[in-house]
Amino acid sequence: MTSRFIPYTPDVEVAEPDFEVNVQTVIERMERYITDSVSGESIGQAVRDAHAKGYGLVRGEVEILDGLPEEYAQGIYATPGRHDALVRFSNGSPHAGADARLGRATGLGLKMFGIEGPTLLEDEPDSGTFDYNTINAPVFFCNTVKHYLFVQDLFLRAGEYFAEGKRGRHRFFRDYVTGKGSLEPDEWAWEEFLTFLIVSQRPLVNVLLSTYTTMGAVRHGDYIAKVRIAPDPECAAAVVERQMDLTSAAEVFRPALVAELRERPYAFDIQVQLCADLERMPVEDLTVEWPEQLSPYVTVARLRFPRQDISGQDNLQRMDALSFTPWRVPEAHRPLGSIMRARKEVYRRSSLLRHRLNHQDRREPRTADEVLPLRATVPGR
């Protein structure tokens, strides 16, 4: 029987002009920022150039469901079973200050253990781990590495812009649309700017209540997909601390996360949306939300958290020493599109530099127990 979904072939991706040169420029700017952050962020260590502030490291388990339809039972999802997992909740900003200064984009980094087969990272093919890097929006505010060059600079200097009030905001918006004057009027980045506005207005809620997506497309075995991690409705309904008031304290997201996980278990659904139309569900345009009426999200696995206490400073230290990258996956889950391709070397170089500056051992854990033993996280044990 012929599938209604688009089969994966390498030609679904489009080569971006000057890709390698532009990626190298992104890396140089990123490395300069991370190096300067040791003193610039006033916390005494280097931070990531995105998602710099983590809210907590959570121990979990992923159950890959049995009985999935063939088109969804692809790659790691073809084999039902359970895998230990770690999750890093974070803010999307490149800064690590008070929550009120950091914006509304939040992230969920998921690391699964016990995954068979080589990853796409040449320097650690046999790690046995599988990562997702997701944010609380179904779209991303940049489509090409060429455009990311000016977006990167704007985000790193956002504090300077907005410190000027209305005038600074207007300059930021103008520089975003015009690529800081580098784009011709008929090439202005309107779609990317409007997507930035959408992302920047995400609800201020407990990080357990957000739905997180890969933004970009990924291979899903024989097909093309986007993946999201959505709160289990029953668990979400039980959350007590729901809305985040950024005026109430310097830290609001982490205390709310700590309080919820201390009191009750929680769960997310891992869901896959298969591409059914390359025109309306494009691979290279990350500003387009794929219509669910063309292809709904289907739950392929469940991510469960037991009750646990993540309040200690050691939890933040363990979290900071980890690396997450969308390229720590087997070939059947290859990231697709220009921005996703750029992430491979950018994330690797970012991790290498950050660990070196912070005098941390950069070693991919073989088990979740190496990082966060479950017996040490569950109250009463």
Side-chain angles (χ1 to χ4, degrees), residues 139-184:
V139 288
F140 191 57
F141 35 75
C142 188
N143 280 326
T144 67
V145 182
K146 175 184 176 182
H147 284 194
Y148 188 76
L149 289 174
F150 65 78
V151 173
Q152 178 189 39
D153 186 59
L154 289 171
F155 282 8
L156 293 179
R157 297 179 51 225
E160 301 172 28
Y161 279 96
F162 293 110
E164 297 180 19
K166 183 177 180 180
R167 179 174 177 272
R169 289 196 302 274
H170 287 180
R171 284 200 309 113
F172 182 92
F173 298 157
R174 180 197 65 209
D175 286 351
Y176 202 120
V177 172
T178 67
K180 301 184 69 175
S182 66
L183 303 177
E184 296 295 329

Side-chain angles (χ1 to χ4, degrees), residues 68-231:
L68 295 174
E70 180 181 354
E71 292 154 321
Y72 295 91
Q74 300 280 322
I76 69 167
Y77 300 107
T79 305
R82 297 174 184 269
H83 300 269
D84 287 340
L86 295 171
V87 167
R88 178 185 188 257
F89 288 100
S90 62
N91 188 282
S93 169
H95 301 293
D99 288 341
R101 297 181 53 241
L102 301 184
R104 298 173 179 234
T106 55
L108 184 158
L110 168 63
K111 186 181 297 294
M112 289 182 268
F113 293 84
I115 302 298
E116 296 182 358
T119 76
L120 294 173
L121 295 177
E122 290 80 3
D123 57 343
E124 49 171 86
D126 302 318
S127 67
T129 48
F130 183 115
D131 290 356
Y132 279 129
N133 295 65
T134 63
I135 68 166
N136 62 332
V139 288
F140 191 57
F141 35 75
C142 188
N143 280 326
T144 67
V145 182
K146 175 184 176 182
H147 284 194
Y148 188 76
L149 289 174
F150 65 78
V151 173
Q152 178 189 39
D153 186 59
L154 289 171
F155 282 8
L156 293 179
R157 297 179 51 225
E160 301 172 28
Y161 279 96
F162 293 110
E164 297 180 19
K166 183 177 180 180
R167 179 174 177 272
R169 289 196 302 274
H170 287 180
R171 284 200 309 113
F172 182 92
F173 298 157
R174 180 197 65 209
D175 286 351
Y176 202 120
V177 172
T178 67
K180 301 184 69 175
S182 66
L183 303 177
E184 296 295 329
D186 60 352
E187 297 178 342
W188 283 358
W190 285 112
E191 289 82 2
E192 289 162 303
F193 175 66
L194 292 174
T195 303
F196 161 73
L197 293 181
I198 292 171
V199 174
S200 67
Q201 295 303 310
R202 304 303 293 172
L204 282 168
V205 296
N206 191 307
V207 294
L208 293 173
L209 296 177
S210 287
T211 294
Y212 301 87
T213 74
T214 54
M215 304 165 290
V218 297
R219 182 177 176 182
H220 189 71
D222 294 333
Y223 303 100
I224 304 159
K226 288 190 177 182
V227 179
R228 77 179 181 189
I229 303 175

Side-chain angles (χ1 to χ4, degrees), residues 53-55 91 96-104 204 244-246 249-255:
K53 183 174 183 176
Y55 292 131
N91 188 282
D99 288 341
R101 297 181 53 241
L102 301 184
R104 298 173 179 234
L204 282 168
M244 299 293 98
D245 179 4
L246 298 184
E251 304 291 329
V252 294
F253 286 104
R254 175 166 167 75

Side-chain angles (χ1 to χ4, degrees), residues 331-372:
E331 173 61 39
H333 299 276
R334 170 182 290 272
L336 303 175
S338 179
I339 290 294
M340 296 289 265
R341 289 195 302 275
R343 285 170 142 184
K344 184 177 186 181
E345 187 62 10
V346 171
Y347 278 44
R348 189 182 77 87
R349 294 279 289 273
S350 170
S351 177
L352 285 168
L353 177 60
R354 182 171 56 84
H355 281 78
R356 179 170 63 81
L357 291 173
N358 291 337
H359 308 290
Q360 294 168 324
D361 180 24
R362 185 179 181 273
R363 181 180 60 84
E364 184 68 0
R366 306 298 297 187
T367 68
D369 277 336
E370 290 181 27
V371 182
L372 200 64

Side-chain angles (χ1 to χ4, degrees), residues 194-323:
L194 292 174
T195 303
F196 161 73
L197 293 181
I198 292 171
V199 174
S200 67
Q201 295 303 310
R202 304 303 293 172
L204 282 168
V205 296
N206 191 307
V207 294
L208 293 173
L209 296 177
S210 287
T211 294
Y212 301 87
T213 74
T214 54
M215 304 165 290
V218 297
R219 182 177 176 182
H220 189 71
D222 294 333
Y223 303 100
I224 304 159
K226 288 190 177 182
V227 179
R228 77 179 181 189
I229 303 175
D232 171 85
E234 290 188 12
C235 290
V239 170
V240 174
E241 299 193 49
R242 306 184 70 83
Q243 302 295 322
M244 299 293 98
D245 179 4
L246 298 184
T247 67
S248 64
E251 304 291 329
V252 294
F253 286 104
R254 175 166 167 75
L257 175 64
V258 169
E260 292 297 332
L261 292 179
R262 184 182 282 138
E263 294 299 320
R264 59 189 64 85
Y266 199 80
F268 285 88
D269 291 333
I270 300 176
Q271 302 176 324
V272 167
Q273 182 185 30
L274 295 179
C275 179
D277 183 334
L278 284 172
E279 292 296 321
R280 298 176 63 185
M281 307 172 80
V283 168
E284 296 288 353
D285 191 342
L286 277 65
T287 66
V288 175
E289 183 174 358
W290 288 8
E292 290 191 54
Q293 63 267 31
L294 289 181
S295 174
Y297 277 95
V298 172
T299 298
V300 296
R302 292 203 168 88
L303 168 63
R304 297 185 177 92
F305 301 147
R307 287 178 60 214
Q308 55 194 287
D309 184 356
I310 63 168
S311 62
Q313 186 64 28
D314 64 324
N315 181 272
L316 297 178
Q317 293 169 348
R318 294 166 191 254
M319 173 185 65
D320 187 63
L322 288 175
S323 293

